[in-house]
């Protein structure tokens, strides 16, 4: 069983910062890409940022220059540093990881989601 446990969400004023964390646990060989997605009420889930196992990153245009994704492979954890937050960043943020199982297959896992609310 693989679990992704997120933390760090909350309520913040516009212009503020939050740092999300997502730790993977369980029995698996390795983790490929890890990423953060978000879903606002009435909208589809969208990619926020992704980081490969080697550290290359990609961001949604809406967060470039404000958000930074990073990972600690030893801790099996991915982070999302969110600065200059805007009310439109309000959403449930989900962690995603491509986990290589002991059967050498890659399975997508999702965290339970953490609420980020930015007040104006």
């Amino acid at each position: 069983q693989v679990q992704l446990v997120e933390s760090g969400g909350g309520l913040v004023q516009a212009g503020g910062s939050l740092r999300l964390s997502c730790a993977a646990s369980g029995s698996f060989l390795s983790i490929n890409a890890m990423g953060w997605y978000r879903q606002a009420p009435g909208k589809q889930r969208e990619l926020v940022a992704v980081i490969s196992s080697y550290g290359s990153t990609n961001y949604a245009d809406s967060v470039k220059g404000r958000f930074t994704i990073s990972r600690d492979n030893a801790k099996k954890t991915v982070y999302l540093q969110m600065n200059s937050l805007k009310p439109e960043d309000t959403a449930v943020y989900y962690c995603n990881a491509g986990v290589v199982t002991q059967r050498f297959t890659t399975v997508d896992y999702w965290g339970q989601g953490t609420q980020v609310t930015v007040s104006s």
Side-chain angles (χ1 to χ4, degrees):
Q1 293 289 340
V2 176
Q3 283 191 319
L4 300 179
V5 178
E6 299 143 342
S7 60
L11 173 64
V12 65
Q13 287 189 333
S17 298
L18 283 174
R19 188 191 194 209
L20 305 183
S21 299
C22 172
S25 64
S27 181
F28 51 88
L29 295 178
S30 62
I31 303 175
N32 291 336
M34 302 184 80
W36 290 94
Y37 291 71
R38 66 186 181 187
Q39 187 166 19
K43 295 188 177 181
Q44 289 188 332
R45 190 174 297 190
E46 63 175 1
L47 174 68
V48 176
V50 63
I51 184 167
S52 75
S53 58
Y54 298 100
S56 63
T57 59
N58 200 13
Y59 296 90
D61 288 342
S62 59
V63 306
K64 282 181 182 176
R66 300 187 298 122
F67 290 11
T68 302
I69 189 170
S70 61
R71 65 190 283 172
D72 184 330
N73 289 332
K75 294 182 178 180
K76 303 172 187 176
T77 299
V78 63
Y79 305 95
L80 185 68
Q81 177 66 44
M82 305 185 293
N83 299 328
S84 303
L85 282 160
K86 304 175 181 180
E88 50 264 43
D89 295 318
T90 296
V92 178
Y93 284 70
Y94 296 92
C95 171
N96 172 268
V99 175
V100 181
T101 72
Q102 292 182 336
R103 295 184 179 183
F104 299 95
T105 58
T106 301
V107 178
D108 255 3
Y109 284 91
W110 292 88
Q112 79 283 1
T114 185
Q115 177 70 45
V116 171
T117 302
V118 184
S119 63
S120 57

